[in-house]
Amino acid sequence: MWDFVVERREQIAFQGFQHVSLVVQCVLLATVLGTALGVVCHRRAWARGLASTVSSIGLTLPALAVIALVYGATGQGITAAVVSVTFYALLVVWRNAVVGLSGVDGQLLEAAQGLGMGRSRRLLRVQLPLAWPVILSGVRVSAQMTMGIAAIAAYVTGPGLGGLIFTGLTRLGGANALESALTGTLLVVVLALVLDLLLVLLGRLTTPRGIRA
């Protein structure tokens, strides 16, 4: 397998970059959208219940089925990959954003209001910083989960390391088939661990010192 990696190192590096780029961009988009939805939903009990229900149902949908449906509607492998990865990441971040914002102590909000803060300032200065550890936890889960989903997206010619995995699986028994599948799989795992470590560091840098675990 080492010879296989060395001979194709440029191709593997490029596909690894594509894979990470796809996941990072989709998770970033999902974080923005999920947090915004959490802000809208956390104040109402029925909206919180809706977020939990939609997230639970959405996460049970087979990734391959979602990717195939999006691909059938758009005919574009990259579009199908982006929409599918963002969809799954959004569900996790949305749910965690609702939980994190709902868990902020009401007395702190009342105190902030007493200091003359309006709703927007309370959200930006109090609620979001206090909810951020829970939101970031959702971001970490979504990043790990979508690393695998991004690999499945190669089934519809999506970018990334899934190409190595599916090429190997479709040619099992042939030359370098096993090496291709194992290389793609191991790199997905390694990249997932590296990305999680970076998110942990991001949490240390962005979490208010007073609420760090």
Side-chain angles (χ1 to χ4, degrees), residues 56-75:
S56 298
I57 294 174
L59 291 172
T60 64
L61 298 175
L64 186 57
V66 173
I67 293 169
L69 285 173
V70 178
Y71 180 75
T74 65

Side-chain angles (χ1 to χ4, degrees), residues 168-191:
L169 293 177
T170 55
R171 296 174 52 247
L172 278 180
N176 294 323
L178 182 60
E179 288 82 356
S180 179
L182 284 176
T183 299
T185 302
L186 291 175
L187 282 177
V188 168
V189 173
V190 170
L191 291 175

Side-chain angles (χ1 to χ4, degrees), residues 1-2 4-5 8-17 19-20 147-148 151 160-162 164-165 179-195:
M1 191 170 75
W2 177 253
F4 174 86
V5 172
R8 297 164 176 80
R9 58 186 179 277
E10 293 183 0
Q11 174 195 350
I12 293 172
F14 178 66
Q15 288 180 285
F17 170 77
H19 201 95
V20 172
M147 273 288 182
L161 293 167
L164 285 172
I165 299 172
E179 288 82 356
S180 179
L182 284 176
T183 299
T185 302
L186 291 175
L187 282 177
V188 168
V189 173
V190 170
L191 291 175
L193 293 175
V194 171
L195 181 56

Side-chain angles (χ1 to χ4, degrees), residues 103-183:
V104 175
D105 192 340
Q107 293 183 347
L108 293 176
L109 298 179
E110 291 179 3
Q113 186 176 9
L115 292 174
M117 290 187 183
R119 177 174 291 183
S120 298
R121 288 188 63 196
R122 292 200 303 272
L123 174 65
L124 295 175
R125 300 285 298 276
V126 179
Q127 288 177 282
L128 284 176
L130 292 177
W132 175 238
V134 179
I135 297 173
L136 182 60
S137 176
V139 174
R140 290 178 61 191
V141 171
S142 67
Q144 299 300 296
M145 179 178 64
T146 53
M147 273 288 182
I149 294 172
I152 297 173
Y155 184 77
V156 293
T157 67
L161 293 167
L164 285 172
I165 299 172
F166 279 100
T167 298
L169 293 177
T170 55
R171 296 174 52 247
L172 278 180
N176 294 323
L178 182 60
E179 288 82 356
S180 179
L182 284 176
T183 299

